[in-house]
Amino acid sequence: MRTSLKASLTAAVAVGALVALAPAIGQDRPESILPPGFGEPTPAPAPRPTAPAGTQPTRPTGPSQPTTPPPSAAPAQPGAMIQPLPPTTPGDAPPVPPVAAPAPVDPAVLAQYEMPESARRSLATVGPVMASEGGLDTDAFGAVDGQYVETLMRRLTAPLPSRWMSILLRRALVSRVDTPSRTNGADFAAERAWLLLRMGESVAARAVSQSVDTDNYTPKLYDVAMNASLATGDPAGLCPLVPGAMRYAAARGWTMAQAMCAGLSGNPAQATPLIATAKRRNVVSGVDMLLAQKVVGAGAQGRQAVTIEWDGVDQLTAWRFGLAMATGVAVPDDLYASAGPQVKYWQALSPSVPLGARLAPAESAAGQGVLSSAALVDLYAAAATDYDSQSTATATANDLQTAYADRSPDARLNALRQLWGGADTRPAYARLVLTARAAARMNPTLAKDEADHLVASMLSAGLDRTAARWLGTVPAGGDAWAMIMLSDPDAYRRLSYADLASYSGGEGDSALKQRMLFAGLAGLGRLNSGDIERAAQSLGVRIGADNAWTRALDRAARDGQAGTVVVLAAIGMQAASWKDIPPEALYRIVGALRGVGLDGEARMIAAEAIARA
């Protein structure tokens, strides 16, 4: 078969490459192992014929090749058109024009190419969640003084005792809102993210800090962004911020972040001297340095293994937590006890924690509002198929499956009781959150004895209309009745003083719950003014108390500042538990939330007071 022209010429070029390499291959060897003809000097090319003056060179009609085959190669097929070599003498080469030095580029112009104006985000409106996605309106803070709101956020003690107040506060902090006056948009985002971190909302805090372009970062936002990246176990999130932070917010953490980012980018040759310099200057030491070295070793071509020993470490910091999560290092339980409860919530949100170790903190996070009921159920479902999970987790997952899917109502109810800790035990609120949708599947006529717990469980997940179906079944004057009276979205009938007086208080602190029911009903406008005055006097609830907080809350509600109302409502709920929240504060909070259109959250907070007091 005749070889094609293309194949012949390709072979010729390949052989020519071997000829060029032959002297180097055969050097310093006693005997050449190449076939005959290889390694011989290549003869000089014949002089190229010059076309007569006045004639145009003939354009080749066949396929062109980059070089002429060497003489040692096989001869070209007949008819092959070989492109001539370029001129080899200076006289034949065309003149090369001089290259002008490049003009300096204006940094402002260069920035326009790196980040076009259309892609830049304004500091006038900052936040990751728009109103159409569940956030508050952009004018949620209205004309309030920005420094005043920042001070409120900075002084707010978190976490809060109320799950629904925490959920509402998170919603306000992540909303895409206009930056108030007298504050910088980046600084306002930093205060919001810092409060979210103290609440345990590590993922939401990172989203808020990342809603600002890096070239607009301030020293305050650099510090908060570092803590947010560490709380999510993501030291690589620091890398885009390192250059700016080293200029404007230089700190020991950023010095180590520079070394870690060099290692994570696969450049250990740069990371090693940075680590050595940090050691020499005593930037960090001990377990903090070892964790940073472990992060460097986790990068491409890290080639180093670091063992972490927690002996002698008595405090868990954000640095230690974040780098341990990033490298898969287990943190001892006693160290979690040295930190605030929000660190447990960070742990529940960290995907690097094994499922078995995440269940306990996840329940705490669900009770706080950091995790939803559906997310907690999904976590237990995953643990049921995880071989490393403990038997107790598997048993809980099996009971949960029975509570959801068993055909027998009695079996489902018994499974719910088992999940709540027994028939005669008051359930932990986190377990009510876990069983919310399983409780919604129960028939009201078949589960009257557990109505109080079932209604509380449904309302912990906001299933208000489902809970309202139990109104004709539950006895009047019980906890379930009280929670439905507060949470029913369609309850337009006002209750009387006699209805209020019929409430016995149920399980727990009955006297406090009576006062909480009154405060909730009065705040929601479900009692007439005469009954409000009468009940306030008989129950000893000072609903007319006047102070700086009540005046600020009333003013924000009157001006329609939903965001300011939420922050001030959270200020009024700073307490260790629901038992420490005054009923008159609940009355003010529920009324203010209702005044700015947050009726649903107001009803859920009022009903939660009955379930948890």
Side-chain angles (χ1 to χ4, degrees):
M1 180 181 298
R2 184 177 180 181
T3 306
S4 67
L5 173 61
K6 183 177 181 180
S8 300
L9 294 179
T10 302
V13 173
V15 172
L18 287 176
V19 171
L21 291 175
I25 295 176
Q27 188 175 1
D28 299 329
R29 295 187 181 182
E31 182 178 356
S32 175
I33 60 174
L34 297 176
F38 285 87
E40 297 178 359
T42 303
R48 182 170 56 89
T50 304
T55 62
Q56 297 293 332
T58 304
R59 186 179 302 275
T61 58
S64 62
Q65 297 296 327
T67 58
T68 302
S72 58
Q77 297 295 329
M81 301 297 296
I82 307 301
Q83 180 178 345
L85 290 173
T88 56
T89 59
D92 295 333
V96 179
V99 179
V105 180
D106 185 359
V109 176
L110 182 61
Q112 293 295 327
Y113 285 95
E114 294 177 348
M115 179 68 74
E117 195 66 33
S118 59
R120 294 175 180 270
R121 292 174 292 184
S122 171
L123 289 178
T125 305
V126 178
V129 180
M130 296 185 293
S132 59
E133 301 169 332
L136 300 184
D137 293 334
T138 55
D139 61 348
F141 290 93
V144 69
D145 183 271
Q147 295 184 8
Y148 166 72
V149 178
E150 285 186 351
T151 302
L152 292 178
M153 292 180 182
R154 194 177 310 121
R155 294 180 179 177
L156 200 156
T157 302
L160 300 172
S162 169
R163 166 181 165 84
W164 279 104
M165 188 70 247
S166 299
I167 292 173
L168 178 57
L169 182 57
R170 177 186 64 204
R171 178 185 171 195
L173 295 176
V174 301
S175 296
R176 183 172 175 80
V177 294
D178 295 336
T179 301
S181 61
R182 294 215 314 143
T183 187
N184 178 274
D187 286 341
F188 190 58
E191 290 292 351
R192 291 153 60 187
W194 182 236
L195 177 53
L196 285 166
L197 284 175
R198 303 199 309 274
M199 294 168 58
E201 301 281 359
S202 56
V203 177
R206 182 177 63 178
V208 171
S209 64
Q210 290 180 346
S211 62
V212 177
D213 291 342
T214 55
D215 57 348
N216 289 329
Y217 268 47
T218 60
K220 182 192 296 185
L221 187 53
Y222 276 120
D223 291 340
V224 175
M226 168 172 279
N227 282 276
S229 291
L230 293 173
T232 53
D234 181 25
L238 302 174
C239 298
L241 307 178
V242 167
M246 295 299 290
R247 291 195 303 269
Y248 303 118
R252 292 185 300 171
W254 290 111
T255 301
M256 297 307 302
Q258 190 177 25
M260 291 189 297
C261 291
L264 292 174
S265 62
N267 192 0
Q270 180 183 358
T272 300
L274 290 173
I275 290 288
T277 302
K279 286 182 178 180
R280 186 172 64 254
R281 296 178 179 176
N282 198 26
V283 175
V284 295
S285 59
V287 70
D288 297 324
M289 174 60 76
L290 292 175
L291 285 167
Q293 288 181 273
K294 195 168 183 66
V295 172
V296 172
Q301 301 180 2
R303 298 176 183 174
Q304 60 176 323
V306 179
T307 302
I308 304 298
E309 298 290 346
W310 296 102
D311 297 339
V313 179
D314 57 0
Q315 183 69 38
L316 183 61
T317 62
W319 179 269
R320 293 165 184 173
F321 172 85
L323 301 192
M325 294 299 103
T327 54
V329 176
V331 178
D333 291 338
D334 58 341
L335 277 183
Y336 281 109
S338 69
Q342 64 270 16
V343 180
K344 278 284 189 180
Y345 309 150
W346 299 351
Q347 183 188 15
L349 294 174
S350 177
S352 63
V353 178
L355 282 175
R358 288 178 66 188
L359 293 176
E363 286 204 17
S364 299
Q368 186 61 35
V370 176
L371 281 181
S372 67
S373 173
L376 186 58
V377 170
D378 289 344
L379 192 60
Y380 268 104
T385 59
D386 183 47
Y387 293 106
D388 296 330
S389 297
Q390 299 178 357
S391 58
T392 54
T394 304
T396 301
N398 291 336
D399 288 339
L400 196 59
Q401 182 178 7
T402 302
Y404 268 91
D406 199 277
R407 294 184 177 182
S408 169
D410 291 337
R412 296 205 306 271
L413 186 58
N414 288 333
L416 286 173
R417 291 181 179 134
Q418 187 68 25
L419 289 167
W420 292 337
D424 299 327
T425 304
R426 188 178 185 184
Y429 192 70
R431 282 301 172 101
L432 294 178
V433 176
L434 174 65
T435 58
R437 283 171 173 77
R441 295 171 60 87
M442 296 301 301
N443 190 327
T445 60
L446 301 177
K448 295 180 181 179
D449 294 340
E450 300 292 345
D452 293 346
H453 296 160
L454 290 169
V455 171
S457 181
M458 286 182 272
L459 293 178
S460 71
L463 305 176
D464 51 359
R465 295 188 183 278
T466 305
R469 293 191 295 109
W470 289 65
L471 184 57
T473 305
V474 300
D479 277 354
W481 171 85
M483 287 183 284
I484 294 174
M485 288 296 98
L486 291 168
S487 64
D488 187 0
D490 300 324
Y492 300 108
R493 181 181 67 87
R494 289 185 175 180
L495 300 182
S496 65
Y497 179 82
D499 294 329
L500 178 62
S502 69
Y503 177 53
S504 61
E507 189 179 29
D509 190 340
S510 58
L512 176 61
K513 292 168 76 171
Q514 286 177 336
R515 300 167 72 199
M516 287 295 194
L517 175 61
F518 159 68
L521 290 173
L524 291 171
R526 296 185 177 182
L527 291 172
N528 60 48
S529 58
D531 289 337
I532 291 176
E533 292 292 338
R534 182 181 176 186
Q537 291 181 3
S538 63
L539 295 174
V541 180
R542 299 171 54 248
I543 59 175
D546 180 72
N547 52 48
W549 175 74
T550 60
R551 289 192 296 271
L553 188 63
D554 292 343
R555 182 170 55 252
R558 186 172 55 251
D559 295 341
Q561 299 172 3
T564 311
V565 166
V566 171
V567 175
L568 286 168
I571 291 287
M573 297 193 76
Q574 297 177 103
S577 67
W578 267 99
K579 294 182 179 180
D580 300 318
I581 297 177
E584 48 268 24
L586 178 65
Y587 164 74
R588 292 284 189 171
I589 290 169
V590 170
L593 293 177
R594 177 169 163 261
V596 293
L598 298 172
D599 303 70
E601 289 81 357
R603 290 185 287 105
M604 292 301 104
I605 291 172
E608 185 185 354
I610 303 299
R612 305 186 71 173

